Amino acid sequence: MVRPAVLSDTTTRHSAYRFEPPDRDTLERLVAGTLPGYAEDIAVELFRDVCYDTPAHDLESRGATVLLRLHQDGSALLRVDVLERRADDGSIHHVTAEQHIATADAAQVDAASIFAGAGEAARLVRALTHPTSLVPVLELETLRRVR
């Protein structure tokens, strides 16, 4: 039995739904099974997300996130997201910039050189803070199976 877990953020009025199997065996059974109307092939994706902030958490206090996603094929994605509030009606607006980076080896990625790059996301990082002050604050490795 898969239990749904609802995660919501009342500030931005977005909801995310996550289904958690009760144990590893149930997960493996679900992945190994076939689903009507879906392809039989299962693609496996492996990536690592590294979130950056200053030691004083300056970006977090400004409602900004800087994420560097490192893919298994050696490519990377820099994503910068900033919350902005509109003064007239109080609604919340996101400014998001993404920049795809092709590298030879994701394990050898130099974040400082990516933050110093010419793309829109890198410029937004530099507008928020000095890139050399950023340090990794969270690393998450994901193995995703996609049908």
Side-chain angles (χ1 to χ4, degrees):
M1 176 77 185
V2 177
R3 297 169 292 171
V6 179
L7 309 172
S8 71
D9 179 354
T10 57
T11 308
T12 59
R13 298 183 190 255
H14 291 277
S15 295
Y17 297 95
R18 184 178 74 202
F19 294 90
E20 297 179 8
D23 54 47
R24 182 70 182 200
D25 291 337
T26 303
L27 174 64
E28 293 299 332
R29 252 190 351 267
L30 288 169
V31 169
T34 59
L35 297 174
Y38 287 90
E40 295 291 322
D41 295 335
I42 297 175
V44 177
E45 298 174 359
L46 176 65
F47 56 88
R48 184 168 47 107
D49 288 336
V50 183
C51 295
Y52 289 85
D53 202 343
T54 65
H57 299 283
D58 294 333
L59 297 181
E60 181 181 3
S61 67
R62 293 180 186 164
T65 58
V66 173
L67 177 131
L68 185 59
R69 176 167 288 177
L70 307 170
H71 293 277
Q72 188 175 10
D73 66 359
S75 65
L77 171 74
L78 174 61
R79 179 184 169 97
V80 182
D81 187 69
V82 182
L83 279 173
E84 291 185 346
R85 299 185 191 280
R86 294 184 186 161
D88 54 345
D89 63 358
S91 64
I92 298 171
H93 176 70
H94 284 269
V95 173
T96 303
E98 289 187 348
Q99 181 177 340
H100 294 275
I101 298 124
T103 63
D105 184 5
Q108 303 297 323
V109 168
D110 176 27
S113 65
I114 291 173
F115 299 150
E120 180 184 351
R123 283 192 295 273
L124 188 52
V125 168
R126 292 191 302 274
L128 291 166
T129 189
H130 196 280
T132 59
S133 66
L134 294 174
V135 296
V137 292
L138 174 70
E139 290 190 39
L140 177 66
E141 192 168 282
T142 302
L143 176 66
R144 181 183 292 167
R145 299 176 189 170
V146 182
R147 292 183 196 244

Short mmCIF file of all heavy atoms in Angstrom, two decimals, residues 12 29 33 45 57 59 70 74 82 86-87 114 124:
data_model
loop_
_atom_site.label_atom_id
_atom_site.label_comp_id
_atom_site.label_asym_id
_atom_site.label_seq_id
_atom_site.Cartn_x
_atom_site.Cartn_y
_atom_site.Cartn_z
N THR A 12 3.57 30.30 -0.92
CA THR A 12 3.51 30.40 -2.37
C THR A 12 2.28 29.70 -2.96
O THR A 12 2.09 29.73 -4.15
CB THR A 12 4.78 29.78 -2.99
OG1 THR A 12 4.86 28.42 -2.58
CG2 THR A 12 6.01 30.54 -2.58
N ARG A 29 8.91 -3.87 -5.93
CA ARG A 29 7.79 -4.53 -6.61
C ARG A 29 7.07 -3.56 -7.54
O ARG A 29 6.70 -3.90 -8.65
CB ARG A 29 6.80 -5.10 -5.58
CG ARG A 29 6.83 -6.58 -5.46
CD ARG A 29 5.73 -7.21 -4.65
NE ARG A 29 4.83 -6.35 -3.90
CZ ARG A 29 4.99 -6.00 -2.62
NH1 ARG A 29 6.03 -6.44 -1.95
NH2 ARG A 29 4.11 -5.24 -2.02
N GLY A 33 7.03 -3.96 -11.67
CA GLY A 33 5.75 -4.26 -12.29
C GLY A 33 5.50 -3.44 -13.53
O GLY A 33 6.17 -2.44 -13.81
N GLU A 45 18.03 7.61 -14.13
CA GLU A 45 18.74 8.89 -14.11
C GLU A 45 19.41 9.04 -12.76
O GLU A 45 18.81 8.75 -11.73
CB GLU A 45 17.77 10.06 -14.30
CG GLU A 45 17.04 10.07 -15.60
CD GLU A 45 15.99 11.18 -15.65
OE1 GLU A 45 15.84 11.92 -14.66
OE2 GLU A 45 15.32 11.29 -16.68
N HIS A 57 23.82 32.59 5.63
CA HIS A 57 22.51 32.29 5.02
C HIS A 57 21.85 33.55 4.46
O HIS A 57 20.63 33.75 4.58
CB HIS A 57 21.59 31.57 6.01
CG HIS A 57 22.14 30.26 6.46
ND1 HIS A 57 22.11 29.14 5.66
CD2 HIS A 57 22.79 29.91 7.59
CE1 HIS A 57 22.70 28.15 6.30
NE2 HIS A 57 23.12 28.59 7.47
N LEU A 59 21.31 34.35 1.28
CA LEU A 59 20.35 34.07 0.21
C LEU A 59 19.02 33.59 0.77
O LEU A 59 17.95 34.02 0.33
CB LEU A 59 20.92 33.03 -0.77
CG LEU A 59 22.18 33.44 -1.53
CD1 LEU A 59 22.60 32.33 -2.46
CD2 LEU A 59 21.96 34.73 -2.28
N LEU A 70 24.16 18.35 -10.98
CA LEU A 70 25.21 17.67 -11.72
C LEU A 70 24.66 16.34 -12.24
O LEU A 70 24.24 15.49 -11.46
CB LEU A 70 26.41 17.42 -10.81
CG LEU A 70 26.94 18.67 -10.10
CD1 LEU A 70 27.95 18.30 -9.04
CD2 LEU A 70 27.51 19.64 -11.11
N GLY A 74 27.81 14.26 -17.32
CA GLY A 74 28.82 15.30 -17.29
C GLY A 74 28.27 16.70 -17.45
O GLY A 74 28.98 17.68 -17.27
N VAL A 82 14.37 33.36 -7.10
CA VAL A 82 14.25 34.46 -6.14
C VAL A 82 12.77 34.79 -5.97
O VAL A 82 12.05 34.98 -6.95
CB VAL A 82 15.00 35.73 -6.63
CG1 VAL A 82 14.91 36.85 -5.60
CG2 VAL A 82 16.45 35.41 -6.94
N ARG A 86 5.20 41.77 -4.73
CA ARG A 86 4.68 42.97 -5.38
C ARG A 86 4.02 43.84 -4.32
O ARG A 86 3.17 43.38 -3.57
CB ARG A 86 3.67 42.61 -6.45
CG ARG A 86 4.28 41.88 -7.61
CD ARG A 86 3.26 41.65 -8.68
NE ARG A 86 3.85 40.82 -9.72
CZ ARG A 86 3.14 40.16 -10.60
NH1 ARG A 86 1.83 40.21 -10.58
NH2 ARG A 86 3.74 39.43 -11.52
N ALA A 87 4.38 45.08 -4.27
CA ALA A 87 3.89 45.98 -3.23
C ALA A 87 2.41 46.32 -3.41
O ALA A 87 1.70 46.47 -2.43
CB ALA A 87 4.72 47.26 -3.22
N ILE A 114 31.55 28.53 -12.66
CA ILE A 114 30.19 28.56 -13.20
C ILE A 114 29.49 29.83 -12.74
O ILE A 114 28.82 30.50 -13.53
CB ILE A 114 29.41 27.30 -12.77
CG1 ILE A 114 29.98 26.08 -13.49
CG2 ILE A 114 27.92 27.46 -13.06
CD1 ILE A 114 29.41 24.76 -13.04
N LEU A 124 22.61 36.54 -12.22
CA LEU A 124 21.69 36.69 -11.09
C LEU A 124 22.38 36.31 -9.78
O LEU A 124 22.20 36.98 -8.75
CB LEU A 124 20.44 35.84 -11.31
CG LEU A 124 19.29 36.02 -10.33
CD1 LEU A 124 18.89 37.47 -10.17
CD2 LEU A 124 18.09 35.18 -10.79
#
